[in-house]
Amino acid sequence: MLRYLPFLLVLAVWIYAFIDVLNTPEKEVRHLPKVVWVIIVLLFGEVLLGPIAWFVTGKVRHGAGGPAGRGRTRWVAPDDNPEFLKSLREEDSGENERDKRDKGNEG
């Protein structure tokens, strides 16, 4: 079984690179047209030259946070999100007022 592992790893990288080329928008492809990258990945995939070339130079890569200014909002932890903290304070103040009213009605 282990003798097939290198072949399976090469095949996995080859397929991943091919799908990545197909799913990449044309405006994010660098240096060559997208069709040429597909051909390079398919022709030189068996020796990993095509996929490695694609991963290194073919696609515009973004940092872990994603591209800035793309209209995407960045995820913020709840304890760092000012809107969430404000909503908690509003809920808390609303509950305090209700508690005061309920205590006043009891007596």
Side-chain angles (χ1 to χ4, degrees):
M1 180 65 185
L2 284 177
R3 64 182 168 178
Y4 298 117
L5 187 62
F7 173 74
L8 292 175
L9 290 175
V10 168
L11 183 66
V13 170
W14 192 1
I15 291 171
Y16 180 79
F18 179 68
I19 292 171
D20 192 36
V21 171
L22 292 178
N23 287 334
T24 302
E26 187 73 40
K27 62 183 178 181
E28 292 185 17
V29 177
R30 298 187 313 183
H31 302 297
L32 297 170
K34 186 174 177 178
V35 175
V36 175
W37 277 114
V38 169
I39 294 169
I40 289 172
V41 168
L42 288 177
L43 288 178
F44 300 106
E46 192 172 340
V47 291
L48 288 181
L49 292 178
I52 290 173
W54 167 251
F55 293 136
V56 172
T57 64
K59 183 178 180 181
V60 175
R61 303 286 176 187
H62 303 288
R70 278 261 176 124
R72 294 184 192 172
T73 56
R74 205 167 161 206
W75 185 84
V76 179
D79 57 343
D80 292 335
N81 187 342
E83 294 174 15
F84 178 74
L85 295 173
K86 181 180 175 185
S87 70
L88 287 179
R89 279 188 229 111
E90 289 172 357
E91 286 179 16
D92 190 40
S93 66
E95 288 177 7
N96 287 341
E97 290 175 11
R98 270 188 257 127
D99 288 344
K100 288 178 185 177
R101 274 187 262 140
D102 292 341
K103 287 182 182 178
N105 292 336
E106 289 177 6

